[in-house]
Amino acid sequence: MRILLLLFGALFMAGAGFGAGWYVFVELGYGQAAEEGAEEDREAGQAQAPPPPSTGVPLFVNIGPLTVPVLASDRIDQFVTLLVAVEVGDAATAERVRAQGPRLTDAYLTSLYGAVASGTMIQAGLLDLAQVKERLNAASRRVLGQEAFRDVLVQVVTQRPM
């Protein structure tokens, strides 16, 4: 009986979290604002130079896992989970990136939620990894600045249909 109550409680909390997220991003229009911000990032990213070439041994700072629900009209269609690493040039920069980890996670999730909510990142049920990487790099530039990192690497992508 306790297990059943725990499972029911967990299901209730997950539903409440999903409902709040759906309300904020779909009903209040925050997903559209994120999409508009991503367009500005894309335009700014075209003017930016590519990441500097690697000199020496790169260091990687793991961020994640990041889990984003993909919404259908009235339910969750699938969950997308990403493991991400930020490539940096030295240990001091790696510590700076670790310190900014919560801000990076927030920027990544905000950018990904906006794209998923607008339907531009999922094509025929599959995630567009080039667009994901572009959005993650733009979010990293906003939080860290262009000189603080070399690239954002998507290590693992899992799509779990519901």
Side-chain angles (χ1 to χ4, degrees):
M1 184 66 180
R2 282 185 174 174
I3 293 175
L4 186 59
L5 284 174
L6 286 174
L7 286 174
F8 179 72
L11 183 62
F12 177 76
M13 295 302 285
F18 166 74
W22 180 79
Y23 177 76
V24 167
F25 285 98
V26 176
E27 294 296 320
L28 296 181
Y30 282 95
Q32 291 175 337
E35 179 62 30
E36 291 166 3
E39 267 185 45
E40 293 169 4
D41 290 339
R42 211 173 292 119
E43 291 169 3
Q46 291 172 352
Q48 297 274 344
S54 298
T55 56
V57 178
L59 297 172
F60 298 95
V61 178
N62 291 323
I63 307 289
L66 307 170
T67 301
V68 180
V70 178
L71 306 175
S73 60
D74 61 342
R75 63 179 180 85
I76 296 177
D77 189 42
Q78 62 178 304
F79 280 103
V80 176
T81 303
L82 301 154
L83 290 178
V84 177
V86 179
E87 181 182 359
V88 297
D90 57 40
T93 307
E95 283 305 313
R96 181 174 162 228
V97 170
R98 279 188 197 94
Q100 293 293 321
R103 289 184 189 275
L104 277 173
T105 300
D106 176 63
Y108 292 164
L109 287 174
T110 301
S111 180
L112 293 174
Y113 269 112
V116 167
S118 67
T120 60
M121 198 180 325
I122 305 277
Q123 305 292 328
L126 297 176
L127 192 66
D128 182 359
L129 283 178
Q131 189 179 31
V132 169
K133 188 164 179 161
E134 179 182 312
R135 284 181 168 275
L136 295 175
N137 274 306
S140 296
R141 274 193 298 277
R142 277 195 314 270
V143 173
L144 302 171
Q146 180 65 41
E147 301 302 318
F149 75 103
R150 293 179 182 167
D151 199 7
V152 175
L153 306 170
V154 178
Q155 295 178 314
V156 177
V157 177
T158 304
Q159 290 183 252
R160 193 168 26 123
M162 299 307 287

